[in-house]
Amino acid sequence: MAKSRKVVVIGAGPAGYVCAIRLAQLGQQVTVVEKDALGGTCLNVGCIPSKAMIAAGSLMDKIGKASALGLTVEGMSLDVEKLVSWKASVVAKLTGGVGILLKNHGCEVVYGAATIVDKNTVSVTGKDGKQTIQCDDIVIATGSVPLAIPGFEFGESVWSSTEALAPKALPKRLLVIGGGYIGLELGMMYRKLGSEVTVVEATAGALPGQDRDCVKVIERSMKKMKIDFIANAFAKGYEAKKKGLEVRIEVEGKSRVIECDQILCTVGRKPFSEGLGLDKVGLSTEKPGFIPVDDQMRTKVPNIYCIGDIAGQPMLAHKGSKEGLVAAAVIAGQNERYDVRCVPAVIFTAPEMASVGMLEDEAKSKGIEVVTGQFPFAASGRAMSLMETDGFVKIVADAKTDEVLGVHMVGPEVTELVAEAALAIEMGATTEDLARTIHAHPTLPEAMMEAAEAVHRMAVHIYQKPE
Ligand code: NAI
């Protein structure tokens, strides 16, 4: 067995802590440095708390709609303080679990801000002073922070996602700047909890870069929920007035004012490397702050690795975790890499959206002859029984080889269904493989099987005119 290496992992988010545990499993000596809390953005102020709050919003929404089933609930009310404290308990359980896992695997955790002194030395400044750690390898996993825009510095009136996940009270009127992942997830959550919500988005539609047919379903849903979604709109500045905040926006060159009580700015996140001392080892970032890496997560300094949000798009927790596993394996002497086509994306809107692999246009632009199949949840018995029939599963396949190239879906529980699609792409499955797989009835994944059948105009539960 190769000699054990001493590795310092900087940052204990889903990239860093996963990397640390895998390094320990592979027999390396690991020190994790964390300046804040174990679990990083994902566990503390991102994925987990937002999903907990979104679950509460969805439950409230469902209860509100239950009268169609003959269930009438009277006197439903929301205790924001209790909701936030329940969310905090979920977070505490998970971050506590990360601490126990690191300890059980023999990883040392040092709290403080790390600075790279040279390629084998990291200095850590914590509340108990400064210490220096010598190591064979360094893994940078410092994540990202919310991006602010001029005129909307974060503070009491302007929330980032962090503050939006710990409200003291429900804002009556919320203005969301940015109609991307966070803006729509949190905007819809606040709407379900009872706020009036307006979203201003700079581009022509919500969720830039996602399948446009899926996005249309989300945009229709916003209309039904009475969320005012304003496209081609730039937020320019705001003023506090007696009645609340007046936000100036520019829509297609024309000025408009929107009144609200709270602003939530979700225009993206920027990679975080402040104070890391990259220059000490000849490393630098590339716009908008990513550290370039090869496909084994190595930076141009051979014993320094970089994983997670700081290593490039997409800034997703599971992509960071995968990169952590790859870096750990490579440090331990294995020849590991991952297939970027297989990184799924999940968006907890209402309905949910998820995708993996290539978009139809992307495949075409690569010169691939493409064929698609689509199956609507309106034709799914399970979706009907859940009262969630909006949306569909769309499969993009190679017309020549039948290989599944991409799967894009919007509808009930699709953030769970995408796992099957990711497996299909990872294994190089064909639509025939998916169609031949027996899917239990009555379940939502039947929509995947039928979409695969639809690629060949053979879906049983929708009528497809023969070509
Ligand atoms: P985003 O990149 O998803 O969306 C930002 C949006 O703001 C874009 O639609 C952009 O066109 C718009 N925008 C930018 N400047 C603007 C301006 N001045 N006025 C109006 N609109 C403007 O970024 P977001 O939502 O902040 O999320 C950051 C990252 O966090 C995402 O890229 C995603 O990777 C990750 N995330 C993942 C989630 C998940 O996996 N479910 C959930 C939430 C976030």
Side-chain angles (χ1 to χ4, degrees):
M1 197 172 156
K3 180 182 154 284
S4 157
R5 297 178 72 83
K6 185 153 182 12
V7 188
V8 172
V9 179
I10 306 175
Y17 84 74
V18 168
C19 181
I21 290 172
R22 179 54 53 88
L23 280 164
Q25 288 169 333
L26 294 172
Q28 316 304 314
Q29 301 167 57
V30 191
T31 302
V32 182
V33 185
E34 171 54 56
K35 69 175 171 47
D36 211 345
L38 296 180
T41 299
C42 168
L43 264 62
N44 292 284
V45 288
C47 319
I48 298 301
S50 65
K51 265 79 260 180
M53 304 268 289
I54 288 166
S58 300
L59 184 59
M60 201 159 160
D61 187 54
K62 265 222 151 125
I63 293 172
K65 288 177 182 155
S67 60
L69 279 71
L71 299 170
T72 309
V73 178
E74 274 163 19
M76 182 167 57
S77 67
L78 171 67
D79 180 338
V80 174
E81 204 178 315
K82 205 164 176 184
L83 171 60
V84 172
S85 101
W86 169 73
K87 174 221 71 175
S89 74
V90 174
V91 169
K93 261 184 222 149
L94 285 166
T95 53
V98 169
I100 292 166
L101 283 171
L102 287 170
K103 188 166 173 242
N104 289 348
H105 281 93
C107 301
E108 186 190 3
V109 179
V110 175
Y111 286 95
T115 302
I116 299 171
V117 178
D118 62 44
K119 71 182 184 51
N120 297 108
T121 315
V122 173
S123 117
V124 182
T125 311
K127 63 176 176 14
D128 302 327
K130 206 170 183 165
Q131 62 172 294
T132 301
I133 310 167
Q134 297 296 326
C135 57
D136 298 307
D137 303 288
I138 298 171
V139 180
I140 302 171
T142 46
S144 62
V145 290
L147 193 64
I149 49 174
F152 293 91
E153 283 67 39
F154 296 125
E156 209 178 309
S157 302
V158 185
W159 281 344
S160 73
S161 52
T162 304
E163 293 78 38
L165 292 170
K168 291 195 180 71
L170 203 65
K172 186 168 180 310
R173 298 165 301 175
L174 176 70
L175 177 86
V176 181
I177 306 175
Y181 274 60
I182 304 183
L184 292 200
E185 286 188 0
L186 296 188
M188 284 181 148
M189 174 200 85
Y190 270 101
R191 179 71 195 119
K192 284 179 175 177
L193 292 177
S195 298
E196 290 166 28
V197 176
T198 303
V199 180
V200 296
E201 161 58 38
T203 66
L207 298 164
Q210 300 293 329
D211 179 273
R212 296 331 284 168
D213 292 330
C214 289
V215 173
K216 268 186 212 153
V217 175
I218 304 291
E219 289 179 343
R220 270 204 307 273
S221 167
M222 282 195 279
K223 256 194 196 136
K224 273 194 231 160
M225 292 170 80
K226 298 196 167 50
I227 291 176
D228 192 9
F229 181 81
I230 310 173
N232 300 309
F234 289 87
K236 292 292 185 187
Y238 75 97
E239 272 177 82
K241 299 274 174 158
K242 261 193 192 146
K243 281 188 180 161
L245 308 169
E246 278 189 6
V247 183
R248 270 178 300 112
I249 65 166
E250 201 174 281
V251 190
E252 289 166 15
K254 288 193 189 121
S255 241
R256 243 180 94 174
V257 170
I258 296 179
E259 288 180 3
C260 65
D261 306 297
Q262 184 67 56
I263 298 164
L264 166 60
C265 184
T266 54
V267 294
R269 298 181 59 88
K270 61 172 183 207
F272 180 79
S273 59
E274 237 165 74
L276 203 52
L278 295 177
D279 52 324
K280 302 271 177 44
V281 283
L283 283 177
S284 54
T285 57
E286 274 178 8
K287 236 178 159 186
F290 297 123
I291 300 174
V293 286
D294 66 12
D295 65 352
Q296 294 195 308
M297 312 323 296
R298 267 187 221 92
T299 64
K300 68 177 188 185
V301 180
N303 73 320
I304 302 185
Y305 298 74
C306 179
I307 57 175
D309 285 5
I310 181 85
Q313 293 284 10
M315 294 197 212
L316 298 171
H318 47 274
K319 172 258 191 191
S321 296
K322 186 69 192 174
E323 290 179 345
L325 297 177
V326 170
V330 172
I331 290 171
Q334 298 173 3
N335 187 15
E336 185 68 343
R337 44 180 55 80
Y338 76 100
D339 185 347
V340 289
R341 293 177 317 146
C342 304
V343 180
V346 290
I347 312 179
F348 292 80
T349 39
E352 294 178 350
M353 213 174 118
S355 69
V356 60
M358 279 188 249
L359 292 165
E360 194 177 339
D361 286 348
E362 194 183 343
K364 284 182 187 159
S365 72
K366 287 186 178 14
I368 302 171
E369 197 189 320
V370 162
V371 59
T372 65
Q374 196 164 312
F375 186 80
F377 282 110
S380 153
R382 182 65 183 138
M384 268 182 234
S385 68
L386 291 169
M387 289 197 308
E388 291 187 56
T389 50
D390 282 350
F392 57 83
V393 173
K394 183 205 270 187
I395 297 185
V396 178
D398 187 319
K400 288 207 178 100
T401 63
D402 195 38
E403 188 180 343
V404 179
L405 300 174
V407 181
H408 310 282
M409 36 180 125
V410 57
E413 313 282 340
V414 295
T415 56
E416 308 285 333
L417 301 195
V418 76
E420 181 182 358
L423 179 68
I425 293 178
E426 164 70 32
M427 296 189 74
T430 59
T431 67
E432 188 185 339
D433 292 322
L434 282 178
R436 278 178 180 268
T437 304
I438 300 170
H439 288 67
H441 178 74
T443 62
L444 296 169
E446 287 174 287
M448 182 80 88
M449 174 180 72
E450 296 260 10
E453 297 272 34
V455 170
H456 302 288
R457 312 192 74 74
M458 297 293 273
V460 170
H461 292 91
I462 47 170
Y463 177 65
Q464 297 179 285
K465 261 194 196 151
E467 276 180 327

